[in-house]
Amino acid sequence: MAGDREGTDGHRSGLRVVVVGATGNVGTSVVRALSEDERVGSVLGLARRSCRLSVAKTEWSCVDIGDRRTDLAPHFQGADAVVHLAWLFQPTHDPVTTWRTNVDGSVRVFDAVARSGVPALVHASSVGAYSPGPKEEYVDESWPTHGWPRAAYCREKAYLERVLDAFEERNPDVRVVRMRPGFLFKRESASEQRRLFAGPLVPQRLARPALLPAVPDIPGLRFQALHTDDAADAYRRAVLHPVRGAFNLAAAPVIDSAQLAGLLGARTMRLPLRPLRSALAAAWRLRLVPASPDLFDAVLRLPLLDTTRARTELEWSPGRSATEAVDEFVRGLYQVAGADTAPLASRLPGGRARELATGVGRRP
């Protein structure tokens, strides 16, 4: 990584970091983590929609990586690192549109990093990039990354792993880091994640403890969670440490139906998988929910992550448990929490009527 550069006043200005996709759940936490580090001199946050969020040492610029006419290289000139987080979850019924942003747009980011001479690229991969794996033991970063092919999210994350393999072959001087976190939660992301995965027909305040009578106990429902701010700390360390390769990120304990029921003050109810999956598939086809049944299938197949490498090479450890992260998110749901960015807004202009009018699962 390049060293500090001289500022206009003759003092060292610190590292310059560009964050692509800076206004969402992960982006806002990464920008804040970087801005609070004295070794970082400036942060440029890029996002598809304008941002009014005020963060120290941070400037903002509107950039749509899904637009083929976008030239990212001018934004990357002089950067010491690019953190690539941008991702489009919707429209879930139009995988061509998400592919144009998530895959084609990411390729444009990678190409601009190389053309601009940026020495470090930190890319947001995911547990979703991994092939199906065990639920009773943990896998390290060598586990195959072929995703679950029927789910667009996993397909795209896995494809980008192959793109980065080729990128590293062509650009050995670029230090490439791939972050593979489990599910990321924080209070401010609650309304956004409700819109993305549950849709406008699900009452957000239903998450209040004691209002939900039961939590489905489904075979295979075991996953790992992490507070978004803890993930952001790992991203910050990946920018600042001379590391390469992939890092699994997750906190203990593993979340299952019993853990969720305890957080919600509910009981568990054993349900057969097939009828539940069929109901979700019907709701998705009728555009009653935005999350596809294929993503549900993927969640049930995700492996559990061994985080030893992040703990040793990044000297990272989560400050909050997985249950604390999920509990904060659940409280954010019934409080209709959000933040002052377009993706994290607690309510969209026009409210849920607009969500319905634009089509459940359509690009916001």
Side-chain angles (χ1 to χ4, degrees):
M1 174 172 293
D4 293 354
R5 289 184 296 275
E6 296 287 343
T8 56
D9 59 358
H11 291 86
R12 293 290 182 182
S13 57
L15 300 175
R16 178 165 180 77
V17 184
V18 180
V19 179
V20 183
T23 58
N25 176 21
V26 184
T28 49
S29 290
V30 169
V31 166
R32 289 193 186 279
L34 290 168
S35 70
E36 292 168 0
D37 193 298
E38 61 182 11
R39 292 165 290 182
V40 175
S42 65
V43 178
L44 174 61
L46 305 183
R48 179 165 57 93
R49 292 168 285 186
S50 61
C51 180
R52 301 186 304 273
L53 199 65
S54 178
V55 182
K57 299 188 286 190
T58 302
E59 298 177 343
W60 304 94
S61 185
C62 287
V63 171
D64 184 355
I65 66 169
D67 187 340
R68 296 176 182 175
R69 299 166 296 179
T70 299
D71 184 6
L72 293 164
H75 298 284
F76 294 173
Q77 291 292 336
D80 294 292
V82 168
V83 179
H84 177 44
L85 307 169
W87 198 263
L88 195 64
F89 284 95
Q90 296 179 356
T92 56
H93 289 270
D94 183 8
V96 173
T97 296
T98 59
W99 185 273
R100 285 173 181 160
T101 291
N102 299 339
V103 174
D104 293 345
S106 293
V107 171
R108 280 189 283 275
V109 170
F110 304 157
D111 177 64
V113 165
R115 288 190 290 115
S116 304
V118 181
L121 167 64
V122 181
H123 168 67
S125 188
S126 167
V127 63
Y130 281 120
S131 301
K135 292 290 189 178
E136 302 298 334
E137 57 187 79
Y138 298 86
V139 305
D140 66 15
E141 290 82 358
S142 65
W143 192 258
T145 52
H146 303 306
W148 175 245
R150 295 188 60 178
Y153 174 82
C154 300
R155 212 163 46 233
E156 292 162 354
K157 288 292 187 184
Y159 186 89
L160 289 175
E161 292 279 350
R162 305 290 78 74
V163 171
L164 283 176
D165 290 343
F167 178 88
E168 288 183 287
E169 287 284 338
R170 296 191 307 269
N171 302 279
D173 293 335
V174 180
R175 182 172 65 85
V176 176
V177 182
R178 315 177 196 201
M179 309 300 272
R180 296 176 184 158
F183 294 91
L184 299 177
F185 299 108
K186 64 181 180 183
R187 178 181 179 276
E188 296 86 353
S189 71
S191 294
E192 178 197 33
Q193 289 174 310
R194 190 274 303 162
R195 286 191 293 268
L196 289 175
F197 303 112
L201 300 180
V202 175
Q204 193 156 324
R205 295 184 185 276
L206 186 64
R208 185 187 299 273
L211 287 186
L212 197 65
V215 171
D217 183 6
I218 306 165
L221 184 58
R222 301 188 78 232
F223 63 92
Q224 289 165 295
L226 180 66
H227 195 285
T228 310
D229 290 348
D230 288 329
D233 179 56
Y235 275 91
R236 177 187 64 84
R237 291 169 183 267
V239 167
L240 297 168
H241 286 59
V243 296
R244 293 174 178 260
F247 290 91
N248 291 339
L249 304 176
V254 174
I255 301 296
D256 57 17
S257 299
Q259 296 276 358
L260 291 174
L263 290 170
L264 293 168
R267 61 187 178 88
T268 60
M269 177 181 293
R270 188 73 173 180
L271 292 177
L273 180 57
R274 183 171 295 181
L276 188 63
R277 203 268 184 196
S278 297
L280 176 59
W284 184 73
R285 286 194 298 269
L286 293 170
R287 298 179 185 263
L288 300 177
V289 296
S292 80
D294 297 320
L295 186 60
F296 173 74
D297 294 340
V299 170
L300 300 182
R301 291 168 169 80
L302 295 177
L304 299 182
L305 304 178
D306 181 324
T307 61
T308 300
R309 186 171 189 233
R311 293 172 183 271
T312 55
E313 296 189 30
L314 291 177
E315 300 177 327
W316 169 86
S317 62
R320 280 146 288 202
S321 69
T323 48
E324 287 174 317
V326 175
D327 180 60
E328 181 179 313
F329 168 75
V330 169
R331 286 186 284 111
L333 279 175
Y334 65 76
Q335 293 167 357
V336 194
D340 194 20
T341 71
L344 297 183
S346 58
R347 293 180 176 85
L348 297 180
R352 297 202 184 204
R354 182 191 169 204
E355 290 185 59
L356 287 166
T358 56
V360 176
R362 184 176 175 180
R363 180 173 179 168

